[in-house]
Amino acid sequence: MTKNKNNKTIWRTRIKKNTSSIFQKVGSSIDIDKRLYKEDIHGSIVHVEMLFKQKIITFKIKNKIIYGLKKIEKEILNKKFEFNKAYEDIHMNIEKRLFEIIGEEAGYIHTARSRNDQVITDFKIWIKSATREIDIILNKVINSTIKLAEKNIYTVMPGFTHLKNAQAISFAHYLMAYIEMFSRDKKRFYNNLNSLNENPLGVAALAGTTFNIDRNYTTKKLGFKQPTNNSIDTISDRDFVLDFLYSVAVCSTHISRITEELIIWNSEGFNLITLSDKIVTGSSMMPQKKNPDLLEYLRGKTGNVYGNLFSMLTILKGLPLSYFKDLQDDKEIVFKSYDTLLNCLKILDEILKNIYANKKQMLELANIGYITATDLADYLVKYHSMSFRSAYQKTAEIVNLAEKKKKRLNELNINELKKIEPKLTNDVLKVFDLENSVNSKRSFGGTSFDNIKKMIMKYKKHK
Ligand code: ARG
């Protein structure tokens, strides 16, 4: 690092020797936390306005500081600002530059505050706007899912349990399961905003301050609901970071589950969906290949995001109150998780616009595995007054017969069926029809076509 006369830290009076270069390299967080510059400047402006209102600093000093801060903001925006590792982090880089711009009066800015409360204030405000960005892209993903669902209301496929054919469903119904998950993600992120909505500014280093500050004023100006109650907890608290990282992890889990399923369905064994050439890659050796790399990329990234949550939990575990350098990593972890999630959601959105149902193959697969067996059992309960358990046994016998004769259920004739249950008439044959099977699941939340249409309408209204 080049030396200049300003290249001195604010603790130069107390700490006589220059920081050893290895510590400067690892101890500085400016490369990471410069992302907080806007929040930091905003917080500082509100802070000095409060100091003036409380007659702690003069009108002139307040104005000078605000002038300097706004100038710094412009410099950063225009990439004219020189971030310096020697001043550790964004808070001290800005303070240092303020001295250069307005002179010694810059020294008033840090009255009644510490970097400890400053960093949490900035970070909370940043997480609020990050949450809004995530919400926007989640809406896009939900939109694309609705569009794909709309095209596939009547696309019949097998629904699986244990990856074995279970009951016939509509592909749209399957897709809309993910809309529920992403909607819960939205809620989860917003719930976090509620609990982080307490203003840390003014707790200073850890004990509060001797100055007559007005925390309610800064609370209002910074858009928080109320000031935090306990200065020590405020400095130590990173629950809002865990909540955010957990929400990112859960959302990534949803991404990973849908991508895993699509990868399986895209395999030759299933062949239920086709991926557009826009979202596949080739192989360097096997000329025939079209690989679902992008889907795998998303599934893999989920591992990174889990790791971030676990890193933060581990950093906090056993950490005494209140501030320790260990905490500085919180920002890198959150930024990484946020960037990854945003990127993954954008990719998922692109994928949803570029997949197609192989409708014939879906229907074909739904036709095997005696998938309408439950429909037959239900029919026996409804039309031949059996208990569900006896109907289940009868149906199992019919499935055994079909298996023995190497037939599908809908290939058995009425005489074969009557051998097992004499009461049966031709009317029963309709239960083996797959569309009928899907459409008869009319209970709220079921896969019937009408339910799906109603749900699509509901989602469209609530967007
Ligand atoms: N850059 C530091 C961090 O993010 C700021 C807090 C510094 N406070 C301290 N007592 N050293 O954690």
Side-chain angles (χ1 to χ4, degrees):
M1 189 171 302
T2 53
K3 282 213 169 159
N4 63 49
K5 68 177 171 35
N6 289 320
N7 191 8
K8 289 208 173 123
T9 55
I10 54 168
W11 42 72
R12 64 184 181 274
T13 315
R14 181 81 181 115
I15 298 175
K16 305 275 180 340
K17 291 189 178 155
N18 282 343
T19 315
S20 84
S21 61
I22 181 81
F23 185 62
Q24 200 177 91
K25 211 165 143 204
V26 298
S28 148
S29 61
I30 186 63
D31 289 343
I32 306 291
D33 60 26
K34 61 182 176 196
R35 262 175 102 155
L36 294 175
Y37 81 90
K38 245 194 214 136
E39 291 76 10
D40 198 69
I41 288 172
H42 178 49
S44 290
I45 290 176
V46 170
H47 178 66
V48 291
E49 277 171 344
M50 182 279 292
L51 292 178
F52 162 66
K53 184 184 89 65
Q54 294 301 96
K55 302 193 171 49
I56 298 168
I57 60 171
T58 66
F59 182 68
K60 198 176 135 237
I61 290 176
K62 174 203 76 158
N63 282 350
K64 254 185 142 174
I65 292 177
I66 293 178
Y67 159 80
L69 288 171
K70 289 193 168 157
K71 191 161 191 277
I72 292 171
E73 185 168 21
K74 271 198 202 119
E75 287 177 0
I76 298 178
L77 258 172
N78 298 329
K79 306 205 175 351
K80 299 260 159 62
F81 189 94
E82 213 184 297
F83 295 102
N84 191 336
K85 274 195 193 318
Y87 313 135
E88 253 191 60
D89 55 24
I90 186 64
H91 323 291
M92 296 218 290
N93 267 267
I94 289 177
E95 184 177 322
K96 197 75 192 167
R97 179 75 186 122
L98 192 64
F99 271 92
E100 288 170 0
I101 297 173
I102 68 167
E104 282 308 305
E105 279 156 333
Y108 286 93
I109 193 177
H110 216 55
T111 317
R113 79 168 185 192
S114 153
R115 274 186 302 162
N116 291 354
D117 55 349
Q118 207 179 343
V119 71
I120 315 162
T121 307
D122 296 358
F123 204 18
K124 280 189 169 183
I125 298 174
W126 185 90
I127 287 184
K128 282 186 185 193
S129 58
T131 299
R132 284 188 280 274
E133 290 302 314
I134 292 172
D135 190 67
I136 291 172
I137 177 81
L138 272 170
N139 281 341
K140 284 190 182 156
V141 169
I142 289 174
N143 242 340
S144 302
T145 315
I146 294 175
K147 281 199 180 127
L148 190 58
E150 269 182 314
K151 284 189 213 147
N152 285 287
I153 296 172
Y154 295 101
T155 307
V156 174
M157 65 173 293
F160 306 100
T161 61
H162 310 270
L163 207 55
K164 300 279 284 177
N165 282 13
Q167 291 187 297
I169 57 162
S170 151
F171 183 40
H173 195 52
Y174 163 85
L175 288 167
M176 279 152 59
Y178 280 94
I179 297 183
E180 295 296 323
M181 291 175 230
F182 293 130
S183 304
R184 284 199 296 276
D185 289 333
K186 277 161 60 87
K187 251 193 243 158
R188 194 171 297 106
F189 278 111
Y190 270 103
N191 289 343
N192 299 343
L193 291 194
N194 263 336
S195 49
L196 71 65
N197 216 2
E198 293 182 349
N199 175 22
L201 196 61
V203 303
L206 84 160
T209 172
T210 57
F211 292 98
N212 176 31
I213 58 171
D214 183 349
R215 294 190 66 206
N216 288 320
Y217 175 88
T218 52
T219 294
K220 220 166 135 200
K221 288 272 171 179
L222 292 172
F224 289 104
K225 220 160 101 199
Q226 62 206 51
T228 53
N229 288 321
N230 180 298
S231 58
I232 300 172
D233 170 61
T234 306
I235 296 305
S236 329
D237 172 33
R238 292 297 181 278
D239 291 1
F240 65 97
V241 173
L242 291 176
D243 289 343
F244 183 79
L245 292 171
Y246 171 71
S247 301
V248 174
V250 175
C251 185
S252 298
T253 305
H254 297 150
I255 298 175
S256 188
R257 290 183 81 172
I258 192 168
T259 50
E260 166 69 358
E261 194 124 61
L262 296 178
I263 290 165
I264 293 174
W265 294 359
N266 182 241
S267 69
E268 277 76 11
F270 278 78
N271 191 27
L272 295 183
I273 56 162
T274 300
L275 308 180
S276 144
D277 278 2
K278 276 164 85 174
I279 55 165
V280 294
T281 53
S283 148
S284 64
M285 191 179 104
M286 298 168 281
Q288 82 284 12
K289 293 278 264 167
K290 286 186 178 182
N291 292 327
D293 279 49
L294 263 187
L295 293 160
E296 293 158 19
Y297 174 91
L298 296 186
R299 189 179 53 190
K301 286 293 170 209
T302 307
N304 290 282
V305 163
Y306 287 3
N308 293 338
L309 170 62
F310 216 79
S311 297
M312 196 66 225
L313 282 166
T314 312
I315 287 169
L316 290 172
K317 177 190 170 299
L319 194 68
L321 312 185
S322 59
Y323 180 81
F324 291 86
K325 189 75 167 175
D326 314 41
L327 290 170
Q328 178 167 283
D329 268 345
D330 57 0
K331 285 160 293 294
E332 184 171 10
I333 291 170
V334 163
F335 293 158
K336 273 196 306 193
S337 266
Y338 169 76
D339 291 342
T340 305
L341 181 67
L342 220 60
N343 194 30
C344 287
L345 285 170
K346 283 180 190 158
I347 296 172
L348 179 64
D349 189 49
E350 185 68 9
I351 288 170
L352 289 165
K353 290 178 177 142
N354 284 287
I355 59 173
Y356 308 95
N358 296 342
K359 298 186 182 184
K360 251 178 85 184
Q361 174 62 16
M362 282 188 172
L363 192 65
E364 184 53 30
L365 187 61
N367 253 311
I368 59 179
Y370 317 105
I371 206 165
T372 48
T374 318
D375 299 84
L376 175 59
D378 288 355
Y379 175 89
L380 292 172
V381 172
K382 280 195 222 162
Y383 299 104
H384 295 286
S385 336
M386 288 187 194
S387 76
F388 182 76
R389 262 306 150 246
S390 339
Y392 174 102
Q393 300 301 348
K394 275 278 172 239
T395 306
E397 285 176 47
I398 293 173
V399 172
N400 284 343
L401 176 75
E403 191 178 53
K404 206 168 120 202
K405 300 207 160 206
K406 297 198 177 0
K407 285 185 174 180
R408 295 175 177 185
L409 285 177
N410 63 356
E411 289 166 350
L412 293 172
N413 62 45
I414 188 68
N415 294 328
E416 289 169 316
L417 292 168
K418 269 174 177 287
K419 263 191 216 143
I420 293 177
E421 178 45 64
K423 284 190 266 181
L424 285 173
T425 62
N426 267 333
D427 182 58
V428 68
L429 299 175
K430 68 170 189 257
V431 304
F432 301 128
D433 177 76
L434 287 177
E435 275 205 10
N436 179 64
S437 166
V438 173
N439 209 21
S440 58
K441 307 295 184 317
R442 291 175 184 277
S443 53
F444 186 82
T447 187
S448 79
F449 303 128
D450 282 350
N451 273 357
I452 293 172
K453 285 183 214 156
K454 273 189 212 144
M455 275 297 166
I456 289 180
M457 295 283 285
K458 196 168 147 189
Y459 291 135
K460 281 181 148 177
K461 249 198 230 149
H462 287 96
K463 259 189 334 194

